[in-house]
Amino acid sequence: MMKYWLMKNEPEAFSIDDLAKVKTEPWDGIRNYQARNFMRDDMSMGDKAFFYHSSCKAPGIVGMMEIASKAYADHTAFDPNEHYYDPKSKPDNPTWIMVDVKFISKLDAPITLQALRQYPQVSGMRLLQKGNRLSITPVEKKHWDFIHTLM
DNA sequence: GCCAACGTTGGC
DNA sequence: GCCAACGTTGGC
């Protein structure tokens, strides 16, 4: 059964345009257990995800991508020179993992957070819940489908 | 840059 | 195992 996701990233670090260029990219740097568990336990190859730009002028959904690998060790956790280095993650038993994502499309016009908040049809989305900070959240099919009607 | 809301850490 | 202090996220 295909699942749907929303994955946040700061466009200054890696944007939808960057993904459009490289086509496939490891989604590294996740250092939150809930987000990790989603990748480890619930994501499958072929799942679809919204690419969301956060911490920017107009936060919102900017494109779509496909999960292109199973979860595997996030090697950036092993390297002391990396920003996301975490000494408690060991190569033989990695704490942190990542998946590859594949570019599907960039939206002609982003669907901003501000716009999403206007629609009661998506008011239940985790993204819109107060205090939500998770960078990876599941998206219900009904929400996924409704957002497509906005494109 | 501010700050609310979380998540994590570490002393006890 | 509790919880205060600290760190991070992310919208505004």
Side-chain angles (χ1 to χ4, degrees):
Chain A
M1 186 66 181
M2 183 183 302
K3 295 197 184 65
Y4 304 94
W5 304 94
L6 183 141
M7 299 167 77
K8 297 180 187 173
N9 212 32
E10 300 186 12
E12 282 187 26
F14 187 78
S15 72
I16 187 69
D17 290 320
D18 295 325
L19 183 61
K21 270 179 222 152
V22 299
K23 301 301 180 193
T24 303
E25 177 79 2
W27 199 265
D28 61 10
I30 298 296
R31 297 293 180 269
N32 170 282
Y33 288 99
Q34 262 185 288
R36 178 203 69 181
N37 294 348
F38 281 137
M39 288 196 290
R40 186 189 61 191
D41 304 333
D42 298 325
M43 262 187 192
S44 313
M45 277 184 73
D47 284 359
K48 301 287 199 307
F50 290 130
F51 194 129
Y52 180 96
H53 281 176
S54 65
S55 297
C56 59
K57 203 166 187 179
I61 294 168
V62 293
M64 292 197 292
M65 53 198 180
E66 182 177 323
I67 306 306
S69 79
K70 295 201 289 185
Y72 59 104
D74 182 344
H75 57 79
T76 65
F78 307 143
D79 183 350
N81 298 316
E82 285 279 351
H83 178 245
Y84 289 109
Y85 174 59
D86 183 350
K88 66 180 182 298
S89 187
K90 308 290 185 198
D92 58 350
N93 184 21
T95 306
W96 303 116
I97 54 173
M98 59 190 178
V99 297
D100 292 344
V101 296
K102 191 171 90 183
F103 178 78
I104 294 178
S105 64
K106 177 187 176 181
L107 303 194
D108 295 331
I111 300 172
T112 63
L113 180 63
Q114 193 184 16
L116 282 173
R117 289 197 192 284
Q118 296 170 4
Y119 298 103
Q121 291 92 333
V122 290
S123 60
M125 278 186 80
R126 195 139 176 188
L127 172 74
L128 305 179
Q129 304 304 305
K130 186 176 181 176
N132 168 66
R133 300 186 319 178
L134 261 187
S135 64
I136 298 178
T137 50
V139 174
E140 293 175 45
K141 185 171 192 305
K142 64 178 179 186
H143 296 148
W144 178 271
D145 290 342
F146 177 76
I147 289 169
H148 275 70
T149 68
L150 305 175
M151 292 176 185

